């Protein structure tokens, strides 16, 4: 049946991206640990403050046509239209390069002023210029990764992310060895955004043989189509940038660079939880578009099951991360960054609703409803902006974390309402309730075990979490949230 075939492809594609994403996330963590250990909290905070500031402009890159490219590459490829597949890829790349080229020139021109009056640190001048140029080069990486994703070549898509993390980690180690220290993260970022697309460009004809058989042609109707679909998504892209970086922007504006550094050791732990959702969100957009193109219906029960398994997988990691926040930060980043533990405890609360909202938004975009996807993200972005600039001045990073989870909950609730209205989709509320009940058993097991000290804190955390996971799994089976046969079916679909 078509429904089962698409569900199988969703699960298999998600699994490929998930495996590569976990490895890439591990390397990204090593990178952030390296920076935290080699740099002072102020310098660490400065780099992420500049990075967040430039990233805020990423939303304008392409004027929304990158989301349109995901959709139409998948659609034209499904129809066997190689010419329009290539035109779509190159059109949105050219638009991205022109738009961000203008932004880069503006950032370079005002870099000295921003360094003096916003970052209040002279070192920010050169950092801002190099990071802006790096993101301009990233346009070509975006072109290749969007093509791979649209073609549903998820191994290649995820491989680019993994390769980028390998390059930036390797470059950082080399630059630190050469004594560059404070500028190492900046030069390493530039290296990865130059070398990654150069390497993968040679594989494009192999992944998509039709690429060499066609050349770009002028097609005004297609360009208009990209803009008509993409312009509603411009708000979503800007909103996504705001959601990702407005907390760091607010901390840079209202607090100190040291606090920015503390907060930016908490963010990756919370972000890691969403890596479980990222593979599904990446696969769902082009897959939903392809399904619409060939009129095969929806994912139905397969998608509903994925929501359940997503929550089952994320919940124990969420609870354990909050429970052992001090242990995790001390072990990975050192006691210097321990003040970030309170922010971490708050941030993880928004991980599950934020992940589900991400999947719902991409499902809406892929199925031809970009305006709804934009509304969901803008609702979260507006909530986050208002709360950040209201709470950060008095509460610091705790206020930023509260704003973060509030925006995640808002986007989750709004996305659920729209999915129900537009796609007639129902969320597995009863199973979610049962899962959270099982999560209570996980938490109580950790609480009881924490009274005992077996080894060093990190080893104890791993052992106690493993025991609590066993209790959690038994409760899930007893509550009939999952069954042995469903687990076997899921494993079979991944293979």
């Amino acid at each position: 049946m078509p429904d089962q075939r698409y569900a199988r492809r969703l699960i298999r594609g998600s699994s490929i991206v998930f495996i590569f994403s976990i490895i890439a996330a591990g390397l990204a963590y090593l990178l952030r640990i390296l920076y935290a250990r080699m740099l002072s909290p102020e310098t660490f905070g400065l780099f992420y403050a500049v990075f967040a500031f430039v990233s805020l402009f990423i939303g304008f890159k392409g004027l929304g046509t990158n989301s349109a490219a995901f959709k139409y590459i998948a659609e034209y490829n499904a129809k066997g239209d190689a010419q329009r597949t290539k035109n779509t890829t190159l059109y949105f790349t050219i638009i991205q390069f022109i738009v961000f080229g203008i932004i880069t020139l503006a950032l370079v021109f005002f870099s000295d002023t921003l360094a003096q009056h916003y970052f209040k640190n002279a070192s920010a001048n050169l950092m801002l210029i190099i990071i802006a140029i790096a993101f301009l080069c990233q346009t070509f990486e975006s072109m290749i990764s969007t093509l791979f994703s649209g073609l549903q070549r998820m191994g290649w898509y995820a491989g680019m992310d993994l390769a980028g993390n390998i390059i930036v980690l390797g470059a950082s180690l080399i630059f630190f060895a050469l004594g560059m220290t404070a500028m190492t993260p900046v030069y390493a970022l530039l290296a990865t955004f130059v070398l990654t697309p150069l390497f993968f460009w040679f594989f494009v004809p192999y992944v998509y043989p039709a690429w060499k058989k066609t050349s770009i042609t002028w097609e005004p109707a297609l360009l208009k189509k990209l803009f008509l679909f993409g312009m509603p998504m411009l708000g979503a892209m800007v909103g996504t940038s705001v959601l990702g970086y407005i907390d760091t922007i607010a901390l840079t504006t209202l607090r100190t660079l040291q606090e920015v550094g503390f907060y930016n050791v908490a963010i990756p732990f919370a972000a890691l939880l969403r890596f479980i959702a990222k593979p599904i969100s990446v696969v769902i957009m082009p897959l939903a578009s392809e399904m619409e193109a060939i009129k095969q219906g929806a994912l139905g029960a397969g998608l509903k099951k994925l929501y359940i398994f997503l929550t089952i997988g994320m919940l124990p990691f969420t609870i354990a991360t909050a429970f052992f926040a001090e242990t995790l930060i001390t072990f990975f980043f050192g006691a210097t960054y321990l003040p970030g533990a309170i922010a971490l405890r708050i941030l993880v609360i928004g991980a599950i609703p934020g992940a589900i909202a991400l999947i719902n938004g991409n499902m809406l975009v892929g199925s031809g409803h970009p305006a709804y996807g934009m509304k969901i993200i803008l609702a979260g972005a507006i909530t986050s902006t208002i709360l950040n600039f209201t709470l950060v001045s008095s509460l610091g990073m705790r206020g930023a974390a509260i704003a973060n989870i509030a925006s995640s909950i808002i986007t989750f609730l709004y996305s659920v309402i729209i999915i129900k209205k537009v796609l007639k989709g129902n969320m597995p509320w009863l199973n979610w309730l049962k899962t959270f009940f099982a999560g209570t058993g996980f938490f109580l097991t950790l609480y009881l075990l924490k009274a005992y000290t077996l080894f060093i804190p990190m080893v104890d955390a791993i052992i106690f979490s493993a025991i609590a996971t066993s209790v959690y799994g038994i409760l899930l089976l007893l509550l009939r949230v999952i069954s042995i046969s469903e687990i076997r079916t899921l494993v079979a679909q991944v293979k």
Side-chain angles (χ1 to χ4, degrees):
M1 293 177 65
D3 185 71
Q4 293 177 342
R5 186 171 72 251
Y6 282 114
R8 179 183 177 86
R9 284 179 58 190
L10 174 59
I11 293 170
R12 291 189 67 183
S14 299
S15 300
I16 293 168
V17 180
F18 177 73
I19 293 168
F20 278 82
S21 294
I22 287 295
I23 299 171
L27 293 172
Y29 261 81
L30 287 175
L31 181 70
R32 198 169 289 229
I33 291 167
L34 177 67
Y35 290 167
R37 298 282 185 175
M38 297 295 292
L39 305 172
S40 68
E42 290 81 5
T43 305
F44 182 79
L46 176 62
F47 168 70
Y48 284 104
V50 177
F51 183 88
F53 182 80
V54 178
S55 297
L56 200 60
F57 295 95
I58 293 295
F60 295 98
K61 193 176 182 179
L63 302 177
T65 56
N66 44 342
S67 292
F70 271 111
K71 173 179 170 58
Y72 289 119
I73 289 171
E75 185 175 313
Y76 290 134
N77 183 57
K79 293 176 179 178
D81 192 337
Q83 182 63 67
R84 286 195 171 93
T85 298
K86 184 167 186 176
N87 282 349
T88 300
T89 305
L90 294 177
Y91 284 1
F92 101 90
T93 303
I94 293 168
I95 294 166
Q96 277 197 331
F97 191 82
I98 292 172
V99 172
F100 206 77
I102 295 170
I103 292 171
T104 299
L105 289 174
L107 290 174
V108 170
F109 184 80
F110 291 107
S111 60
D112 186 56
T113 303
L114 288 166
Q116 289 183 40
H117 300 289
Y118 175 65
F119 298 106
K120 300 178 180 65
N121 190 306
S123 300
N125 190 345
L126 184 58
M127 278 191 178
L128 187 59
I129 292 171
I130 296 175
I131 290 177
I133 294 171
F135 274 111
L136 181 62
C137 295
Q138 193 260 348
T139 298
F140 301 104
E141 180 183 326
S142 176
M143 176 189 77
I144 300 171
S145 65
T146 300
L147 176 64
F148 288 164
S149 178
L151 296 173
Q152 287 287 289
R153 300 301 297 269
M154 304 316 298
W156 287 95
Y157 170 85
M160 286 195 72
D161 190 31
L162 177 59
N165 279 280
I166 293 171
I167 292 170
V168 74
L169 180 59
S172 295
L173 290 170
I174 292 170
F175 293 145
F176 274 130
L178 294 174
M180 293 184 180
T181 315
M183 293 300 294
T184 284
V186 179
Y187 291 130
L189 186 71
L190 179 61
T192 191
F193 284 159
V194 170
L195 296 178
T196 303
L198 279 177
F199 177 76
F200 279 89
W201 173 251
F202 294 103
F203 294 98
V204 168
Y206 170 78
V207 176
Y208 189 53
W211 184 269
K212 294 183 76 172
K213 300 175 184 177
T214 56
S215 57
I216 187 171
T217 58
W218 176 239
E219 196 171 350
L222 175 58
L223 189 62
K224 181 181 178 181
K225 196 173 183 179
L226 288 174
F227 275 113
L228 287 176
F229 186 94
M231 287 307 290
M233 290 305 299
L234 177 59
M237 298 302 295
V238 174
T240 299
S241 295
V242 170
L243 281 172
Y245 301 105
I246 197 63
D247 43 8
T248 299
I249 296 292
L251 284 168
T252 305
T253 305
L254 302 172
R255 305 289 284 201
T256 65
L257 288 174
Q258 184 182 55
E259 195 165 358
V260 173
F262 293 149
Y263 187 72
N264 273 274
V265 300
I267 286 178
F269 280 108
L272 181 61
L273 296 171
R274 297 194 186 190
F275 268 103
I276 300 175
K278 180 184 175 183
I280 301 173
S281 68
V282 168
V283 176
I284 198 73
M285 188 190 296
L287 187 58
S289 177
E290 180 181 328
M291 287 158 53
E292 184 195 29
I294 59 179
K295 309 298 182 186
Q296 288 283 7
L299 286 170
L303 183 61
K304 201 170 183 179
K305 281 293 180 186
L306 279 169
Y307 282 128
I308 296 171
F309 281 110
L310 173 70
T311 307
I312 289 171
M314 290 185 69
L315 187 58
F317 288 103
T318 300
I319 296 171
T321 300
F323 200 89
F324 297 109
E326 288 89 353
T327 300
L328 290 168
I329 287 180
T330 302
F331 181 82
F332 287 106
F333 296 99
T336 304
Y337 291 91
L338 202 52
I342 183 63
L344 175 57
R345 278 206 172 91
I346 300 170
L347 283 168
V348 295
I349 297 172
I352 293 176
I356 294 171
L358 176 64
I359 294 170
N360 286 346
N362 278 9
M363 183 68 180
L364 286 163
V365 173
S367 59
H369 301 90
Y372 285 114
M374 178 192 70
K375 289 177 181 179
I376 291 169
I377 294 171
L378 285 181
I382 292 169
T383 301
S384 183
T385 302
I386 293 172
L387 290 179
N388 265 293
F389 284 97
T390 302
L391 300 176
V392 165
S393 58
S394 57
L395 297 177
M397 61 182 139
R398 286 179 297 167
I402 291 169
N404 188 295
I405 66 168
S407 66
S408 294
I409 293 170
I410 290 294
T411 54
F412 164 72
L413 293 174
Y414 193 24
S415 73
V416 167
I417 293 170
I418 294 176
I419 286 286
K420 172 77 173 177
K421 175 184 175 182
V422 178
L423 300 181
K424 312 302 179 187
N426 292 310
M427 300 295 113
W429 295 107
L430 180 59
N431 279 306
W432 276 344
L433 182 62
K434 291 179 180 179
T435 302
F436 280 98
F437 183 82
T440 303
F442 182 93
F443 172 80
L444 290 175
T445 303
L446 289 181
Y447 184 79
L448 294 172
L449 290 172
K450 198 176 182 183
Y452 302 94
T453 301
L454 303 178
F455 303 101
I456 62 173
M458 191 63 191
V459 175
D460 285 352
I462 295 170
I463 294 172
F464 295 162
S465 296
I467 295 171
T469 300
S470 300
V471 174
Y472 176 69
I474 291 169
L475 288 172
L476 288 173
L477 291 171
L478 290 175
L479 293 168
R480 297 184 179 179
V481 179
I482 55 172
S483 65
I484 300 297
S485 61
E486 284 178 327
I487 295 172
R488 288 173 179 167
T489 301
L490 181 66
V491 172
Q493 287 180 319
V494 170
K495 292 180 179 180

